[in-house]
Amino acid sequence: MNTLWTLLGDPNMQWILLSCTLLGLSSGIIGCFSYLRKQSLMGDTLAHAALPGICIAFMLTGTKSILYFLIGAGLAGVAATFGIGWITRHSRVKHDAAMGIVLSSFFGLGIVLLTLVQHGGYGNQAGLDKFLFGQAASMVGSDVLTLSIVSLLLVTICYFLFKQFKLVSFDPGFAKGIGYPVAMLEQLLMFLMVVAVVVGIQAVGVILVASLIITPAVSARYWTDRLGVMVVVSGLFGAISGASGAIVSSTGDSLPTGPLTVLAATLLFLLSLLFGSRRGILVRRMVQQRMKRSLGYGYEEQAATASVDDRLNKEASL
């Protein structure tokens, strides 16, 4: 505990904690719309596709700047999105299979480029492999500022376009009928997901950043049937997961932030699965038992009446 309070008193740790919390908040909010639109695998695809963009950005610039990495990973994510669309339009391959193909291809290319960077003549490449699993403690002031600004921007966009995103997620046909630019809104949602994935790579890592987008949204679904409440709860779960991962990873040596953040999100999911007020397993069992006790006498009386009727019918038939 003394180590924890010492870390929390460090200004650098406070900035990192704030940025990871904002990252979890924005990822949880974006994840709600992705989950409702049945595009959970898209976040994983974009995350793996970002790795070659990061490596190429480093090879071209020679610096580990999160701004350059954002540009490179964003371009790679857009290329992956167009690749999925091109495959589904010009072949009989289904959308999920196309995402699997793009995911494995881009990630394989990223691993090859990462190996070339580490064994090539590139200077200042130490720590580049941290992008695989994330390392919040390795972020500098400029990285924290960029991540925080982008996360707040994502939250702001979702706040002002909540009604439009809600209609597009549930009933795009109705949204198109009342004049909303559905295609543009869908592309905007996809772009926001790309940004959420890219901005979370350094803190959570390429491999596990998709879990920070989807798991809080799935957990929030067990607590409510209203989208507005679901978005708030998902953002809260994401913020708690991001803060927990940042704190725990900073208390030990060589503890990756990504796996710890995902474990925190998974713990929240298990608690929601058991105790969620709308769909929790234990809560539903309790409601069923209460209904059985309240309706038990009615069922017994109905069964007894049915038994007497059956016996009278048999006697009448004889």
Side-chain angles (χ1 to χ4, degrees), residues 68-290:
Y68 293 138
F69 289 163
L70 281 173
I71 296 174
L75 292 176
V78 172
T81 304
F82 280 106
I84 294 171
W86 187 87
I87 292 174
T88 54
R89 286 193 303 269
H90 295 85
S91 67
R92 297 183 178 181
V93 178
K94 301 297 183 181
H95 192 264
D96 56 344
M99 286 192 292
I101 293 172
V102 172
L103 182 153
S104 57
S105 301
F106 274 71
F107 189 65
L109 176 61
I111 293 296
V112 171
L113 292 176
L114 184 62
T115 304
L116 291 176
V117 169
Q118 291 178 333
H119 294 85
Y122 297 93
N124 195 28
Q125 55 82 26
L128 194 62
D129 56 338
K130 299 297 184 183
F131 284 91
L132 290 176
F133 298 104
Q135 191 67 45
S138 64
M139 291 190 295
V140 297
S142 60
D143 298 338
V144 172
L145 182 61
T146 303
L147 192 149
S148 302
I149 292 175
V150 174
S151 298
L152 287 175
L153 183 61
L154 290 175
V155 174
T156 303
I157 293 175
C158 291
Y159 175 78
F160 285 105
L161 296 179
F162 175 76
K163 182 174 68 174
Q164 289 81 354
F165 289 164
K166 179 179 180 180
L167 282 176
V168 170
S169 300
F170 283 102
D171 196 346
F174 176 74
K176 186 176 182 179
I178 62 177
Y180 282 157
V182 175
M184 187 181 71
L185 289 173
E186 290 178 344
Q187 291 299 320
L188 178 59
L189 275 173
M190 188 65 65
F191 175 74
L192 294 180
M193 188 188 301
V194 171
V195 174
V197 166
V198 170
V199 78
I201 285 177
Q202 186 167 1
V204 185
V206 169
I207 298 177
L208 299 174
V209 68
S211 299
L212 188 59
I213 294 178
I214 299 303
T215 307
V218 178
S219 303
R221 191 68 179 90
Y222 283 90
W223 294 94
T224 181
D225 290 328
R226 299 179 59 186
L227 179 59
V229 179
M230 178 183 174
V231 169
V232 174
V233 174
S234 179
L236 179 63
F237 284 169
I240 294 174
S241 302
S244 302
I247 292 174
V248 177
S249 65
S250 300
T251 57
D253 295 331
S254 302
L255 288 178
T257 311
L260 293 171
T261 301
V262 172
L263 287 176
T266 304
L267 178 61
L268 291 174
F269 166 73
L270 293 177
L271 293 175
S272 301
L273 179 65
L274 294 175
F275 304 105
S277 59
R278 299 299 299 176
R279 290 176 171 80
I281 295 176
L282 295 182
V283 174
R284 292 178 63 182
R285 291 285 178 85
M286 293 173 60
V287 172
Q288 291 175 357
Q289 292 296 328
R290 192 182 303 115

